[in-house]
Amino acid sequence: MNRQNNIFIRIIEIKGYQKWLSILGLSFIFFFLGSFSSFAQVTSEIDTTKIRIGEQINYKIKVEADTLSLVVFPEGQTFAPLEAVEALEIDTTKRESKYLLSRIYKLTQFDSGAYTIPRQKIIIDEKAFFTDSLKVAVNTVVVDTTKQKLYDIKPIIEVEKAFSDWWKWLLITLLAIAIVAFLLYWFIWRQKPLTEEEEIALLPPYDRAKLALEKLDISEYLLRSEVKEYYSELTFIIRKYLDEKVYDRALESTTAELIARLNLLKDGNQIPLSKETILHIESILQRADLVKFAKSAPDVELAKMDKTTIDKAIDNVRISLPEPSEEEKLLDQKYKEEQERKKKRKKIYITVAISIFLIVATFVGFGVKYGFGYVKDTIIGHESKELLEGDWVESAYGFPPVWIDTPKVLKRVDANLPDELKEKLSMTTFAYGTLLDVFSVVINTTTAKVPQQQQVAQDGEEKEPMFDLLKVSEESIKGFEAQGASNISVKREKFTTPNGAEGLKTFGTLSIKMPNTEYGVDAKYELLCFANENVLQQIIITFPKNDSYADDMVERITDSIELKPDDVEEENN
């Protein structure tokens, strides 16, 4: 009984001991975690709390952590409503057993108001820490309207790229040409290495026959008891040689026909073959016939002897045949040269056909994508297209200035005013081309010389323009007729420039008679007139009819016109 009590007390002591160990262990873990978390500290700051629209704020996040900690800073647009412009590299400083990490974010805002930079999340060893939110005031830019004039916002216009991708297309074209040239060379023009069969075919008949006998000698027909195949090959060798050198029907003739032909040639002294050689050839051919048709099976040694006999018969035929004459050699050389020329012509025909196919395929491909007319004009050339796609010039002409974009710089030309008008008017003219060039751009600025006493208006009196735009338009049409234009159609409408200057637009079609010819060219014209007190400004454009490139040019020119008299006056003052 006492023993059981002692055991029970011992168990209680052990359990109590384990309980205290558990409590101490948990306390140690909480203490360790608490001390570890104390290693990580996150702060944030900004260099200013007030900015103007478009200015930038330096938002800085500082993290103090253990050297083994993994720290992840915010990325992307996490600062809304402010916009992150740039995130600088992380700056790291070691302080005793800790790292001090800092990162600067450049923020901005383009609308005025009071904004709050939200709390930013920083991950340290998979644990999230947050910065404090910060307030920022964005102020407007004060404009002194007494010194800086205000203008309406310009309408949205299409802006062409300053640099086109022509070099990419050129690179692709050159690469395609290189690939095609390589393929043509590799498969057509390259001297390919000859195969074994081609090399054998180029050998003389005697050498081919001797080489075939050597291969037959090392074959395994006889070892495999393939006597029929052995004799078929043997008789083909001698028949092929005789076909090329003696009788051109030796391959399709029967044994009796071939031997009869050889005897006939011998009796006619056309080939000096011995009777014994002809008998040996006849014996072997007949034995081969028996092997092929009667399924006779001569022994191996006899077959070898027949091969030796054929070998000697070929030598005897070669010796008995006369050497080819110089004329025969020349004819043979000419034949070979003709064959080479035929091969070369065939290669040229194939190359030309492939080139034409590629050119047509390329033209069709680009035509489907960009239009056949555009591709044709790109290849052949088109004056209006070259002007449209060239480097345009933006400049101001005359005083007050006319700002305009043109495909070429307008050059100043002398204004031929009558003597009676020179005392009343002054004119400056800038032009590219003339009416006879079909495409032309002319800018006239005419100023009326007003006496000093008439320049001051009475109080409350509004100055009226001195020029009647309708009459100016009619006089300009008469000027077209004076220069040889005919069949002029006239339409008029109000015209307003992008910056709000109002004028009169006169437009239509006309025919221009070419000098020293009997025919005329159909063209279009646009005449833009603007009047301001004593100043008349005219933009005259003539361009070909039914020319889409010219239409695009004129649209671009008219969309770029701006009249800025006030700016120029301020600069001169």
Side-chain angles (χ1 to χ4, degrees), residues 216-227:
L216 182 62
D217 196 27
I218 62 176
S219 67
E220 298 181 353
Y221 288 138
L222 297 179
L223 294 178
R224 297 193 298 266
S225 298
E226 296 175 354
V227 181

Side-chain angles (χ1 to χ4, degrees), residues 47-216:
D47 58 348
T48 180
T49 59
K50 294 181 180 180
I51 61 171
R52 289 178 294 183
I53 292 175
E55 290 184 338
Q56 294 182 3
I57 300 172
N58 290 328
Y59 179 87
K60 188 174 185 180
I61 299 177
K62 296 180 180 179
V63 177
E64 185 179 359
D66 189 77
T67 55
L68 300 178
S69 298
L70 177 62
V71 181
V72 179
F73 282 85
E75 295 290 346
Q77 299 294 341
T78 62
F79 302 92
L82 271 72
E83 179 181 349
V85 178
E86 182 183 8
L88 304 183
E89 296 293 331
I90 299 174
D91 184 25
T92 305
T93 304
K94 189 173 184 181
R95 181 183 297 173
E96 296 178 355
S97 62
K98 301 178 183 178
Y99 275 145
L100 180 61
L101 308 175
S102 63
R103 191 174 195 182
I104 296 177
Y105 298 85
K106 293 184 178 295
L107 312 179
T108 190
Q109 175 56 252
F110 295 96
D111 289 326
S112 60
Y115 299 94
T116 300
I117 302 176
R119 302 167 63 200
Q120 297 299 307
K121 182 179 179 181
I122 295 91
I123 307 297
I124 304 176
D125 288 334
E126 300 182 358
K127 187 175 181 180
F129 293 81
F130 292 90
T131 64
D132 294 332
S133 57
L134 300 173
K135 292 187 178 297
V136 177
V138 181
N139 301 319
T140 58
V141 179
V142 179
V143 179
D144 188 355
T145 57
T146 61
K147 297 181 179 180
Q148 177 64 47
K149 291 185 177 295
L150 300 179
Y151 299 96
D152 293 335
I153 299 175
K154 291 183 179 181
I156 297 176
I157 60 174
E158 182 180 355
V159 179
E160 295 187 1
K161 294 182 179 179
F163 300 97
S164 62
D165 294 335
W166 65 268
W167 63 271
K168 293 182 180 179
W169 292 109
L170 177 62
L171 184 62
I172 293 173
T173 303
L174 294 177
L175 181 61
I177 293 174
I179 293 174
V180 172
F182 173 77
L183 294 176
L184 290 174
Y185 164 77
W186 186 261
F187 291 104
I188 298 177
W189 292 97
R190 179 176 64 97
Q191 295 294 335
K192 303 175 184 178
L194 299 176
T195 63
E196 183 180 0
E197 291 77 10
E198 291 173 337
E199 291 179 351
I200 294 174
L202 293 176
L203 294 175
Y206 174 78
D207 294 335
R208 288 204 306 272
K210 299 294 283 188
L211 181 61
L213 289 174
E214 290 178 5
K215 290 186 176 182
L216 182 62

Side-chain angles (χ1 to χ4, degrees), residues 321-345:
L321 293 175
E323 288 292 329
S325 63
E326 292 299 326
E327 184 178 355
E328 292 175 341
K329 291 181 179 179
L330 182 61
L331 291 174
D332 186 56
Q333 180 65 27
K334 288 182 178 179
Y335 174 78
K336 292 181 179 179
E337 291 176 355
E338 182 63 24
Q339 293 299 112
E340 289 296 326
R341 283 194 292 270
K342 287 182 179 180
K343 290 182 180 179
K344 189 174 182 179
R345 283 197 297 269

